[in-house]
């Protein structure tokens, strides 16, 4: 018995020693930053300073997978270009992420401690990433860059100052209203609308469209009124998220300006000018209603989305059905939706604890270069385009391609054959119109302490607005809604807003 006990004790001691050694080994192989714990790839890190060894950059990119041949081929091409630019071999590899929505899958990945060198964020930057301090301040890299810096727009610059961790070189996601050019030209009210786009002139134009083309309605939106607001908000005085009433700021959605605007929307609905099914419309049904001639006007994001709308409309209805961009309504002020410059809502981030931050940024720099932009925007020669001298001619396969890195065409000076322009006239006009009618919002990131109440307040507004527009509640109940909004924490968030905005 004594011997058995001695054997058991010896085994236990051996297990303790083994576990202790293992723990020490794991501790040694783990980089503890004080804000995060991430497993270090020792072999890769030891080779980072060896100029003859390839630098491996781990990345995650939406809609790209290591199991997808198109993704792999594209990143091989990008790797070749970056390697040539740096004078050393770089290999870009996609880190696998779980199934589900992209934002959730990326969130799970970084919370597990596997943090890629270069990451595309969409749908938020995750509180985990902020509290753990894993995102690199990109401003020093941008300042030293050549190509990235040349593509920075005023709204990019403002967002980077407020939140320097995400870079997204693309036209701002501002929506503009569009209509068939032949319908605009053939209307009696179109000229007055273009010369003086007041809400009343918009209403008259809507009435004529419905009558002349036997439409179900003049305007439709996919489930909420954001795409109406981009046309009419400023005209009614909803010029920013927080507007001045008296000597202090109030939330625009409880302002007199919003009351006036909702009353106007209710009139559009009652008169059959706003789609009766707007609240149940989805993106696809909204767009099909537009192409099929059931509605006359919709809003689309400037640039790429307007380009898609134009190409689909002309493809289905002929070249005469090309799109025209309409101006924002004019009243108290005039403009499309102001740019939110509190931060980027999506974009590229670099792991602050990566061993290869400079190389990760060099990828973004290469893709902003003339050569990188051609690859990013046009795909592969003899497949997505052909080239005669310095002129690019796009093939039918260009419709299968989209930019993976930088969507911006600012200073993209490729010379295209007239018969295959990169953007349609409507898409280019949309970009110009947004510049003409641009402004900055004064919104700010809502602190966590107010977030729950804020969500409830937003839900309250959405419900009230829908009921007023659909005629289920009177606009005269606006004051009751405002009291409910303040009771849900509106007083506290308004006080906080005035502290922030009056600094």
């Amino acid at each position: 018995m004594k011997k058995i006990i001695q054997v058991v004790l010896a085994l236990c001691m051996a297990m303790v020693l083994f576990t202790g050694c293992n723990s020490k080994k794991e501790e040694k192989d783990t980089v503890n930053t004080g804000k995060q714990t991430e497993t270090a790839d020792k072999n890769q890190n030891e080779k980072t300073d060896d100029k003859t060894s390839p630098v491996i950059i781990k990345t995650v990119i939406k809609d790209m997978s290591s199991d997808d041949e198109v993704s792999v081929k594209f990143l091989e091409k990008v790797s070749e270009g970056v390697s040539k630019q740096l004078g050393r071999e770089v290999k870009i590899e996609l880190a696998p992420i779980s199934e589900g929505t992209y934002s959730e899958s990326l969130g799970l990945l970084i919370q597990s401690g596997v943090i890629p060198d270069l990451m595309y964020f969409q749908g938020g930057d995750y509180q985990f990433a902020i509290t753990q301090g894993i995102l690199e301040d990109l401003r020093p890299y941008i300042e030293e860059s050549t190509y990235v810096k040349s593509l920075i727009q005023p709204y990019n610059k403002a967002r980077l100052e407020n939140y320097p961790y995400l870079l997204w070189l693309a036209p701002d996601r501002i929506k503009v209203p569009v209509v068939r050019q032949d319908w605009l030209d053939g209307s009696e009210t179109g000229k007055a609308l273009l010369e003086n786009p007041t809400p009343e002139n918009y209403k008259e134009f809507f009435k004529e469209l419905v009558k002349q083309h036997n439409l179900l309605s003049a305007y439709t939106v996919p489930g909420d009124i954001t795409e109406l607001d981009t046309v009419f908000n400023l005209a009614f005085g909803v010029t920013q998220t927080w507007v001045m009433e008296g000597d202090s700021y109030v939330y625009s959605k409880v302002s007199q300006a919003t009351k006036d605007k909702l009353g106007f929307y209710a009139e559009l609905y009652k008169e059959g000018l706003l789609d009766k099914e707007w609240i149940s419309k989805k993106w696809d049904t909204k767009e099909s209603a537009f192409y099929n001639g059931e509605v006359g006007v919709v809003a689309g994001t400037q640039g790429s989305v307007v380009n898609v709308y134009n190409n689909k409309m002309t493809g289905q209805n002929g070249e005469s059905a090309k799109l025209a961009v309409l101006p924002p309504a004019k009243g108290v002020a005039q403009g499309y939706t102001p740019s939110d410059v509190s931060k980027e809502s999506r974009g590229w981030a670099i792991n602050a604890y990566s061993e290869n931050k400079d190389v990760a940024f060099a990828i973004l720099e290469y893709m902003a270069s003339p050569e990188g932009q051609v690859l990013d925007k046009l795909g592969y020669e003899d497949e997505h385009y052909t080239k005669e001298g310095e002129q690019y001619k796009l093939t039918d396969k260009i419709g299968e391609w989209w930019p993976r890195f930088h969507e911006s065409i600012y200073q993209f000076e490729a010379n295209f054959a007239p018969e295959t322009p990169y953007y349609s006239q409507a898409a280019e006009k949309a970009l110009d119109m947004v510049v003409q009618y641009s402004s900055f919002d004064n919104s700010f990131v809502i602190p966590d302490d107010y977030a729950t109440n804020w969500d409830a307040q937003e839900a309250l507004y959405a419900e009230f607005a829908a009921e007023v527009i659909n005629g289920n509640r009177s606009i005269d109940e606006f004051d009751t809604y405002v009291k409910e909004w303040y009771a849900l924490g509106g007083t506290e968030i308004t006080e906080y807003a005035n502290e922030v905005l009056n600094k």
Side-chain angles (χ1 to χ4, degrees):
M1 184 69 178
K2 199 170 184 179
K3 286 185 178 179
I4 293 174
I5 293 172
Q6 287 175 341
V7 170
V8 171
L9 287 172
L11 286 170
C12 289
M13 285 294 292
M15 289 176 67
V16 169
L17 287 170
F18 178 78
T19 303
C21 290
N22 244 12
S23 299
K24 288 179 180 178
K25 183 181 185 302
E26 289 172 2
E27 185 179 349
K28 187 175 180 181
D29 286 350
T30 299
V31 179
N32 188 354
T33 64
K35 295 181 179 178
Q36 68 162 22
T37 301
E38 69 174 339
T39 302
D41 185 346
K42 290 175 67 73
N43 291 334
Q44 178 185 327
N45 292 345
E46 287 169 1
K47 292 179 179 180
T48 300
D49 295 329
D50 180 359
K51 301 298 184 183
T52 62
S53 300
V55 180
I56 309 297
I57 297 295
K58 292 287 186 179
T59 186
V60 280
I61 305 174
K62 188 175 184 291
D63 298 326
M64 296 186 71
S65 166
S66 57
D67 298 325
D68 174 43
E69 291 183 4
V70 175
S71 300
V72 172
K73 179 182 177 181
F74 175 69
L75 290 182
E76 286 176 351
K77 293 286 188 183
V78 176
S79 297
E80 290 173 9
V82 177
S83 298
K84 184 172 65 174
Q85 175 181 275
L86 294 180
R88 65 178 304 185
E89 187 176 2
V90 175
K91 290 185 178 180
I92 305 169
E93 296 181 356
L94 287 162
I97 59 176
S98 60
E99 294 183 359
T101 66
Y102 179 78
S103 57
E104 291 173 352
S105 298
L106 178 56
L108 291 172
L109 181 71
I110 63 175
Q111 289 184 59
S112 74
V114 179
I115 307 171
D117 303 284
L118 181 64
M119 299 167 279
Y120 170 75
F121 279 93
Q122 179 174 312
D125 47 33
Y126 318 111
Q127 194 58 35
F128 176 84
I130 306 307
T131 57
Q132 299 301 308
I134 65 169
L135 302 183
E136 181 78 354
D137 184 338
L138 300 177
R139 289 174 297 183
Y141 300 85
I142 294 169
E143 185 58 34
E144 294 298 319
S145 70
T146 298
Y147 301 114
V148 167
K149 186 163 63 173
S150 71
L151 300 184
I152 294 290
Q153 297 292 286
Y155 54 86
N156 297 129
K157 186 174 182 179
R159 289 170 185 167
L160 283 163
E161 286 304 312
N162 291 327
Y163 191 83
Y165 309 109
L166 295 180
L167 173 70
W168 187 236
L169 299 177
D172 202 3
R173 298 182 69 79
I174 304 298
K175 295 179 182 292
V176 299
V178 292
V179 66
R180 287 176 53 159
Q181 183 75 57
D182 54 351
W183 288 8
L184 177 63
D185 293 341
S187 68
E188 294 182 359
T189 56
K191 183 178 180 181
L193 173 67
L194 296 179
E195 291 177 350
N196 188 26
T198 63
E200 285 305 316
N201 280 347
Y202 253 108
K203 184 192 282 190
E204 293 305 311
F205 178 65
F206 286 167
K207 286 179 181 178
E208 184 179 4
L209 282 180
V210 171
K211 183 178 179 179
Q212 190 175 36
H213 302 286
N214 194 29
L215 306 179
L216 297 179
S217 61
Y219 203 112
T220 192
V221 296
D224 64 47
I225 59 175
T226 304
E227 294 185 1
L228 265 174
D229 290 344
T230 194
V231 183
F232 295 107
N233 253 357
L234 272 73
F236 283 95
V238 186
T239 54
Q240 292 180 307
T241 296
W242 297 88
V243 297
M244 291 294 292
E245 284 192 351
D247 57 357
S248 63
Y249 287 98
V250 300
Y251 187 45
S252 63
K253 291 178 181 177
V254 295
S255 67
Q256 179 64 41
T258 287
K259 181 179 180 180
D260 296 340
K261 177 192 72 176
L262 292 180
F264 176 74
Y265 291 174
E267 290 176 11
L268 295 180
Y269 182 87
K270 185 177 180 179
E271 296 179 32
L273 304 178
L274 175 61
D275 186 359
K276 295 291 185 183
E277 299 179 349
W278 70 270
I279 204 164
S280 61
K281 272 284 193 292
K282 307 296 182 186
W283 292 102
D284 55 345
T285 53
K286 160 204 155 180
E287 292 167 2
S288 62
F290 184 49
Y291 305 139
N292 294 337
E294 297 171 12
V295 300
V297 181
V298 296
T301 305
Q302 62 160 327
S304 60
V305 174
V306 170
N307 195 57
V308 170
Y309 285 4
N310 181 82
N311 293 343
K312 287 187 176 181
M313 180 63 84
T314 54
Q316 184 168 321
N317 299 288
E319 189 59 31
S320 64
K322 65 184 180 181
L323 298 184
V325 181
L326 297 174
K330 182 180 181 182
V332 175
Q334 186 180 19
Y336 298 120
T337 303
S339 294
D340 179 356
V341 294
S342 60
K343 61 182 291 189
E344 292 285 1
S345 61
R346 62 180 65 200
W348 293 101
I350 292 175
N351 178 0
Y353 298 98
S354 167
E355 295 290 330
N356 298 301
K357 291 180 284 190
D358 289 340
V359 179
F361 186 83
I363 295 170
L364 303 179
E365 174 74 350
Y366 170 70
M367 296 309 290
S369 71
E371 180 181 304
Q373 287 201 65
V374 168
L375 172 61
D376 199 20
K377 294 174 175 60
L378 305 186
Y380 309 128
E381 188 170 3
D382 297 326
E383 183 176 351
H384 301 98
Y385 68 90
T386 58
K387 195 173 181 184
E388 296 179 7
E390 295 301 314
Q391 193 173 75
Y392 294 87
K393 185 174 183 179
L394 306 179
T395 71
D396 293 339
K397 283 194 171 184
I398 193 64
E400 303 169 3
W401 192 261
W402 75 96
R404 273 74 166 177
F405 281 84
H406 307 313
E407 189 181 307
S408 174
I409 64 167
Y410 178 64
Q411 295 194 16
F412 181 48
E413 298 176 350
N415 180 22
F416 292 96
E419 62 270 26
T420 62
Y422 184 68
Y423 269 176
S424 62
Q425 289 182 343
E428 292 188 352
K429 180 67 173 177
L431 294 171
D432 293 339
M433 293 277 277
V434 169
V435 171
Q436 180 181 352
Y437 294 107
S438 65
S439 61
F440 285 174
D441 197 7
N442 60 359
S443 60
F444 50 83
V445 178
I446 301 298
D448 287 346
D449 292 346
Y450 301 103
T452 301
N453 284 345
W454 183 257
D455 290 342
Q457 292 157 5
E458 292 293 89
L460 176 68
Y461 170 73
E463 180 183 3
F464 177 76
E467 289 184 342
V468 167
I469 293 168
N470 288 0
N472 298 325
R473 292 180 71 176
S474 169
I475 193 62
D476 294 334
E477 298 179 54
F478 190 80
D479 290 346
T480 300
Y481 147 71
V482 171
K483 289 178 182 178
E484 293 176 3
W485 188 89
Y486 278 107
L488 281 173
T491 300
E492 292 77 11
I493 190 63
T494 300
E495 290 175 355
Y496 178 79
N498 277 275
E499 291 176 9
V500 171
L501 299 175
N502 286 317
K503 284 182 179 177

